[in-house]
C-alpha cells in the first residue's frame, strides 16, 4: 500500500501532498523535508528507487515537478512507477500538457483526479476514460452550481 504521494518542484516547493496513513503534522513535515532532501540531492540519471527508514521511495521527475511515493516493503516499485506515470497522463489529458502552474492554480482539480484514481493508497480506477468521464461530470456539476448561485434570489 502506498503511504503517501508528494509533488514538489525542483526548488523544493511542495505542490501537492496526499497521505494514506495517519501521521501527525510534525511527522508529515519531517517526511516532506527528508523526501525533498533525498530526492533533490540525487543525480539526474540515478535510479528512481530509494530505501528510507522502513519504506521504499519511488520518484519520477516530469518537467519541473517531482512525483514521489512512499511504499511499504512488500509493494512493487515498478508498478508504483506506472501509477505515477498514469497520474501524469490523467493530468495531461485534463489540462492538456500539464505544468506546475496547472497544479498551483487548479489544486482542487488535481486532488480530485488523484482521488478518482487512488483510494486508500491503492488503485481505484485504471481506466483513463472512466476518470475522464468523472472529471467531465464534476465540471458540469460545478458549472451548474456556479450558474445557479449567480442567479438572484427572489
Amino acid at each position: 500500500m502506498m503511504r503517501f504521494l508528494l509533488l514538489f518542484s525542483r526548488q523544493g516547493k511542495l505542490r501537492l501532498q496526499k497521505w494514506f496513513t495517519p501521521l501527525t503534522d510534525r511527522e508529515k513535515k519531517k517526511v516532506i523535508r527528508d523526501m525533498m532532501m533525498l530526492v533533490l540531492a540525487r543525480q539526474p540519471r540515478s535510479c528512481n528507487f530509494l530505501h528510507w527508514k522502513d519504506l521504499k521511495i519511488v520518484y519520477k521527475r516530469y518537467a519541473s515537478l517531482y512525483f514521489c511515493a512512499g511504499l511499504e516493503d512488500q509493494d512493487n516499485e515498478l508498478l508504483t512507477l506506472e501509477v505515477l506515470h498514469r497520474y501524469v497522463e490523467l493530468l495531461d489529458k485534463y489540462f492538456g500538457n500539464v505544468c506546475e502552474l496547472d497544479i498551483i492554480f487548479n489544486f482542487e482539480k488535481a486532488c480530485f483526479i488523484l482521488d478518482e484514481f487512488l483510494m486508500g493508497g491503492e488503485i481505484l480506477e485504471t481506466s483513463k476514460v472512466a476518470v475522464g468521464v468523472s472529471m467531465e461530470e464534476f465540471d458540469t456539476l460545478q458549472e451548474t452550481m456556479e450558474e445557479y448561485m449567480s442567479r438572484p434570489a427572489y
Side-chain angles (χ1 to χ4, degrees):
M1 179 178 93
M2 194 180 296
R3 296 261 187 98
F4 59 84
L5 178 69
L6 304 173
L7 271 68
F8 51 89
S9 68
R10 288 188 315 197
Q11 292 78 30
K13 301 277 188 191
L14 185 65
R15 298 302 181 201
L16 187 139
Q17 60 180 320
K18 182 73 174 181
W19 301 90
F20 301 110
T21 55
L23 293 174
T24 65
D25 286 344
R26 187 175 184 186
E27 291 171 324
K28 286 178 184 179
K29 286 178 184 175
K30 180 165 178 24
V31 169
I32 291 167
R33 186 177 61 245
D34 288 351
M35 288 304 100
M36 285 185 190
M37 284 181 8
L38 277 172
V39 172
L40 293 174
R42 292 177 62 88
Q43 296 294 322
R45 295 283 182 194
S46 53
C47 180
N48 291 1
F49 310 128
L50 297 166
H51 283 280
W52 178 76
K53 296 188 178 180
D54 63 337
L55 297 177
K56 293 179 187 177
I57 306 302
V58 177
Y59 71 94
K60 180 77 173 148
R61 179 178 165 198
Y62 290 95
S64 63
L65 283 176
Y66 284 93
F67 291 72
C68 179
L71 313 172
E72 293 177 347
D73 240 0
Q74 69 271 15
D75 287 334
N76 187 333
E77 300 96 335
L78 293 175
L79 180 62
T80 304
L81 206 53
E82 286 298 316
V83 167
L84 295 177
H85 185 70
R86 176 56 56 103
Y87 182 51
V88 172
E89 287 177 337
L90 290 168
L91 291 171
D92 271 342
K93 183 177 179 187
Y94 184 76
F95 293 113
N97 200 13
V98 69
C99 67
E100 187 175 351
L101 290 175
D102 291 324
I103 304 294
I104 294 169
F105 293 118
N106 298 295
F107 176 76
E108 68 283 341
K109 295 202 177 169
C111 286
F112 185 79
I113 293 171
L114 184 61
D115 289 340
E116 287 295 312
F117 177 53
L118 294 174
M119 180 181 281
E122 302 289 340
I123 299 172
L124 177 66
E125 181 59 63
T126 58
S127 170
K128 285 190 270 187
V129 174
V131 174
V133 167
S134 179
M135 286 304 299
E136 288 173 15
E137 290 172 354
F138 175 72
D139 286 343
T140 304
L141 178 64
Q142 189 174 17
E143 289 169 8
T144 305
M145 287 303 295
E146 287 173 0
E147 182 180 309
Y148 177 75
M149 297 304 285
S150 67
R151 291 185 192 161
Y154 295 106

